[in-house]
Amino acid sequence: YGESRHVRKQPWMRKGRLPCSATWCPSCYEEHFDNSKEYLIYQVPGAFEIPPFIKQVLLKNIEKLDAIITLGSIIKGETAHFEYISSAVSQGVMKISLENSDNIPILFGVLTTYDYKQALQRSQPGKKNKGYEVMNAAIGMVKSINKIK
């Protein structure tokens, strides 16, 4: 389970951090599993760092992982930076997902929104929260993969 949060406050992000989807990932996880199951949470400086971090986690693979979930938020500013970062992160995660030799499902939960309000709407508490949805999808992927092994 991987996580990214904005740590650099941008002028267009006056309200600061989102009430993060990451808080709802564990909620979904705990609905499906008892407390004996563990999950790991890592933070990286920004969304762009998610793909290389996943690559390192897979290379080191100290513990057997069932799935990796990426969470973060890329909010459009006044420049083309949004398009470059959004594209690089989504393509990077997909490339690593398809090429990882351990066949660990890697799920993309990075919000790419045009404004803070849209990101906030996708981060609200409940089952429509993006973190909750992605964790639920990860659990479904692991179950499906285990059926074909």
Side-chain angles (χ1 to χ4, degrees), residues 55-65 102 104:
K55 185 86 170 167
Q56 289 302 309
V57 168
L58 291 170
L59 286 172
K60 296 187 179 176
N61 201 6
I62 297 165
E63 297 191 35
K64 171 65 176 116
L65 300 175
D102 293 325
I104 297 169

Side-chain angles (χ1 to χ4, degrees), residues 78-93:
E78 296 176 10
T79 67
H81 187 243
F82 169 80
E83 283 81 7
Y84 296 124
I85 298 298
S86 297
S87 178
V89 173
S90 62
Q91 289 179 24
V93 170

